[in-house]
Amino acid sequence: MEQLNSEEQVIIEEINHSEHTEIHIIEYICYPFYLALLCLLCILINLNKRKFRRRYRVDEIFLFIAVYLFNVLITWNFFDFFDKIVRFIITLIIIFGIQHYIGRVQIVGITGGIGCGKSTVAKYFNEFLKVQVIDCDQIARDIVEPGKPAYKLIVQRFGLSVLAGQQDGQPIDRQKLADVVFQDNQKRKQLQAITNKFIFKEIAKSIWKICFVQKDQYVVIDAPLLFESKVLEYFCFPIITIVVTSQEEIIKRVKERSGLTEEQILQRIESQMKAEIKIKKSDIVIANDKSEKSLIRQVQEKVFEYLI
Ligand SMILES: CC(C)(COP(=O)(O)OP(=O)(O)OC[C@H]1O[C@@H](n2cnc3c(N)ncnc32)[C@H](O)[C@@H]1O)[C@@H](O)C(=O)NCCC(=O)NCCS
Ligand SMILES: Nc1ncnc2c1ncn2[C@@H]1O[C@H](COP(=O)(O)OP(=O)(O)OP(=O)(O)O)[C@@H](O)[C@H]1O
């Protein structure tokens, strides 16, 4: 093989060095994204800790190994041993830091059809177990008050006819809006598309306040559309679905509680996800066909083993 002279050797070294530097720069640009991805992954897994373990039988330690291997893989050949150790320590701090901060939080979801007893169970959690409840129906009422952004969007989409007195600035007449949306699936979905993001924002704010400012371990979400929303399903564990088998019983209970007619109640039942699908998707199913006492007894028997 032909010997390189010293000038040629210098040139080759310079080329190697510049390639190395370029790779270093790319690596350093990529590294914050990698850390952001790691944080997101850890937050998602920790918010969903038990479900994740149960479904995939994966513990944080496997996640840790996987993430570290990924870390080593993307830095392979480029970094020296010291750099790898530093990255290992950063990864470790992020995983265990997030695990410590978020891993203790448990978001319990309560869902079920109209009048099935969600609020009754939520009230039990609040009064007897002192767990704070996020009531999605209440949030849905608050975010559509005059002056709020969702109010404007609803008026733009459904017109002044859904307002009390049909005048701009007046509150939404919920009965009128309900009559419009529960007779037309398309319109109901349009209303949900408007309200959903504001509802999620409020839910996230409440979770932050309850679990990270007040540092409560548990929070309950009472969400009639928990499965329909797609997002909540992922963060809640366990998901408790309350069912009442007899439609007549549901109608009787809702009629007693609200001014809704049988036809209006049936329209809402029709517009909601079928109980059989909800049952398949949930962790705990509670039948509320008998007395309220029996409902609470089932909560006591079935729910506690799921709490961390
Ligand atoms: C249509 C509206 C104006 C009717 O108001 P109203 O005061 O009559 O009912 P309220 O809000 O108290 O809801 C009572 C029950 O109706 C059922 N329901 C409410 N919205 C929906 C919906 N979009 N689809 C199916 N069922 C619904 C739920 O079982 C709920 O518990 C109101 O429900 C609304 O704004 N809905 C859209 C917001 C939403 O998605 N709410 C659910 C939060 S997860
Ligand atoms: N086991 C029961 N026996 C008799 N009445 C009941 C029982 N459980 C709940 N109720 C009553 O039925 C009505 C509906 O219950 P609740 O408000 O808890 O249901 P919900 O699922 O929150 O309803 P919505 O979907 O409309 O918010 C209430 O008046 C409640 O007191």
Side-chain angles (χ1 to χ4, degrees):
M1 209 172 127
E2 210 180 303
Q3 278 289 321
L4 297 174
N5 64 32
S6 63
E7 216 171 285
E8 284 169 334
Q9 266 177 359
V10 169
I11 290 172
I12 282 180
E13 265 170 28
E14 267 177 12
I15 289 172
N16 281 343
H17 180 74
S18 74
E19 274 177 5
H20 195 74
T21 315
E22 266 172 35
I23 290 165
H24 251 80
I25 291 169
I26 292 169
E27 276 304 306
Y28 278 116
I29 292 171
C30 286
Y31 196 59
F33 291 106
Y34 155 74
L35 286 185
L37 187 75
L38 172 65
C39 287
L40 195 70
L41 204 67
C42 283
I43 291 170
L44 289 178
I45 286 177
N46 273 290
L47 275 178
N48 197 7
K49 210 172 178 184
R50 284 211 148 195
K51 192 184 283 187
F52 190 85
R53 277 190 194 163
R54 236 163 58 109
R55 288 214 178 140
Y56 308 110
R57 313 219 169 270
V58 176
D59 210 339
E60 286 78 13
I61 194 69
F62 292 110
L63 167 75
F64 169 72
I65 292 168
V67 167
Y68 183 65
L69 286 180
F70 176 63
N71 181 17
V72 170
L73 205 72
I74 67 160
T75 61
W76 198 249
N77 286 338
F78 308 136
F79 288 90
D80 58 17
F81 183 72
F82 178 73
D83 201 273
K84 281 198 176 66
I85 292 291
V86 171
R87 280 167 186 246
F88 179 85
I89 291 167
I90 293 176
T91 308
L92 208 67
I93 291 171
I94 287 178
I95 288 179
F96 287 105
I98 290 177
Q99 199 172 319
H100 173 77
Y101 200 58
I102 296 180
R104 63 181 176 87
V105 171
Q106 193 169 357
I107 306 166
V108 176
I110 302 177
T111 192
I114 183 166
C116 283
K118 298 179 294 293
S119 312
T120 309
V121 172
K123 201 168 143 209
Y124 166 76
F125 270 96
N126 186 249
E127 287 182 359
F128 293 96
L129 307 176
K130 306 290 171 219
V131 176
Q132 295 200 52
V133 174
I134 300 173
D135 179 346
C136 294
D137 280 339
Q138 187 54 50
I139 292 180
R141 269 174 229 132
D142 297 341
I143 55 144
V144 297
E145 279 175 2
K148 303 270 173 74
Y151 173 87
K152 236 182 171 176
L153 294 170
I154 290 174
V155 177
Q156 267 171 16
R157 172 61 195 87
F158 296 99
L160 295 176
S161 63
V162 297
L163 299 182
Q166 308 205 351
Q167 279 180 345
D168 198 11
Q170 290 294 311
I172 287 173
D173 184 326
R174 302 182 66 79
Q175 194 48 62
K176 282 186 193 160
L177 184 57
D179 286 342
V180 172
V181 298
F182 289 120
Q183 281 173 21
D184 183 335
N185 260 338
Q186 199 68 26
K187 289 188 177 149
R188 184 177 53 81
K189 282 182 186 157
Q190 285 168 352
L191 174 65
Q192 279 171 217
I194 293 173
T195 54
N196 266 359
K197 72 167 187 268
F198 297 106
I199 294 178
F200 286 140
K201 213 167 124 188
E202 289 307 313
I203 293 176
K205 271 205 246 169
S206 302
I207 292 176
W208 175 259
K209 198 173 131 215
I210 295 167
C211 298
F212 299 105
V213 179
Q214 296 169 5
K215 295 204 165 32
D216 285 8
Q217 183 179 358
Y218 301 107
V219 62
V220 164
I221 300 189
D222 172 352
L225 307 184
L226 191 144
F227 291 117
E228 288 90 332
S229 78
K230 304 268 191 304
V231 180
L232 288 177
E233 183 184 350
Y234 186 78
F235 292 104
C236 294
F237 185 78
I239 296 175
I240 307 167
T241 294
I242 304 165
V243 287
V244 175
T245 332
S246 150
Q247 206 167 75
E248 286 73 43
E249 185 62 28
I250 297 176
I251 293 167
K252 187 178 136 241
R253 287 180 192 174
V254 178
K255 258 186 178 172
E256 273 169 20
R257 191 206 50 190
S258 66
L260 295 179
T261 64
E262 180 166 342
E263 199 195 342
Q264 287 167 331
I265 300 167
L266 283 171
Q267 277 175 350
R268 294 199 191 199
I269 294 174
E270 279 300 307
S271 72
Q272 295 178 342
M273 188 185 274
K274 298 274 162 286
E276 301 82 64
I277 305 176
K278 286 184 189 160
I279 288 171
K280 272 191 196 148
K281 286 168 160 270
S282 21
D283 304 297
I284 301 168
V285 179
I286 291 180
N288 186 18
D289 295 306
K290 296 181 187 157
S291 64
E292 282 192 27
K293 247 188 182 168
S294 145
L295 172 70
I296 300 305
R297 201 178 317 119
Q298 289 181 73
V299 174
Q300 290 165 339
E301 282 167 8
K302 296 183 180 178
V303 177
F304 294 115
E305 61 170 299
Y306 283 84
L307 303 181
I308 296 173

